Amino acid sequence: MPTSRIYSAPCLVTMAPGAPFLEDGALLVEGDRITAIGPRSVLVDQHPAAEAIHLKDRLLMPGLINTHMHSGLLRGTAEGLKLWDWLRLYIDPMHRVLEPADAEVASWLCYAEALLSGTTTTVDMWRFLDGSARAAERLGNRAVLVPYVGEHPDYDYFDTLDDNEALIERWRGAANGRIMPWVGMEHLFYFTEEAWARAVAMATRHDVGLHTHVGESQAEVRELEARFGLRPVHAMERFGFLDLPHALFAHCVWLDDSEIELMARKGIGVAHNPTSNMKLVSGMAPVSRMIEAGVAVGLGTDGEKENNNLDLFEEMKFASLLGKLREDDATAADAWQVLRMATLEGARAIGLAEDIGSLEPGKKADFIAVRTDTPRMTPLLTGEHLNVHHNLVYAVQGGDVDLVVCDGVARVEGGELVAADLAELRAAAAVSVPDLFRRRSAWLAAHEQGAISPVDGD
């Protein structure tokens, strides 16, 4: 059996700095790494013993990186509500009654959806993450696992820092390093000051990242200013979060220039979630300012309840269009910039740019094949009228992906999962959801005011 493979296609979008596009190119994959990249004829001649896999009518590009999502089972069931009602009636009560089996079913389904639409790396903030780790181990995606942690008497229905530390100790480095547990914090509000100190110490001791929501709503900014006299990022700095091995902040909609400069200086990553920000009317994040300042900004879908799908190709389109609208400038958020957010800048945002995010020798073999024989990719032009990048951002959909390789192993072939049956995953979710909803309804019936929220929304 060949120990190396050459994957070739008429188009390679490498996202490598200075050389993002290659015609009739190829990748040499040995084990879990890309060891060479270049013209197809050259690599085939140089490596005659390698298995040659030519992908006709396909485009090869890096696997997409979802820097912020939540597994879940509430898709399409919490719609058209203001933030407070959304949290009080749907989201927090679900967390109060969620059970480990429900959480695991959700991650199997969400990771399958992500892989099938070309996402090879996911930052998942969720609950009972041992089940999520099992799903990622089997399905083959790269997963940064971030528990929803609440360490405050009013929010004692989330995971705890003890749960978080146990997850790190059990799963760190598993599946050839594909599973990466971090320290999680749902929000600063969900912690006491003693818990903040422990979270910082835990991330430092284990040399792992920390992920939380920052500056998502105007109400959050007002609350932090009332409590500490500080805006969100300055409050995070006071409590030591900006000096961690790595920190990733989701949303970052309501930041001022001083916060952006501080994040750039401290190397903080940002997960931009345009669809969720529009759906929940959180606002339009200052993405152009963050990028100009040097902040690594990746893309996130947020959860299935805030977005309704986990398709990062759709997220790229919305990111570009929303960026143009915010800046009142049709040249803003151009296609190459948004592709970088979904690949190389996403890798930088989560501290993995040395391993993933572009097709380059020495990096992990995480890549996808996108069909080019579709109306959405026609015409496909190179040379003077190159439009490949525009088509990827504005036209392609996740269903156009038919090959996904992560860590050198095919996880999706012919548009189907390799390691699981999608119908079985859907069936498991269909069994789990009715009982989850019954438990939530029972809790709400016993608690007329619903769940407590840290902010009241706008």
Side-chain angles (χ1 to χ4, degrees), residues 284-289 292 321-330 332-333:
M284 296 185 284
V287 173
S288 293
R289 278 194 286 151
E292 289 169 5
L321 300 182
L322 186 62
K324 295 175 188 299
L325 184 65
R326 187 191 193 282
E327 302 300 325
D328 192 24
D329 180 0

Side-chain angles (χ1 to χ4, degrees), residues 43 56 97 240 251 266 331 429 434:
L43 261 62
K56 182 183 177 183
V97 302
H251 297 287
K266 292 289 189 174
T331 70

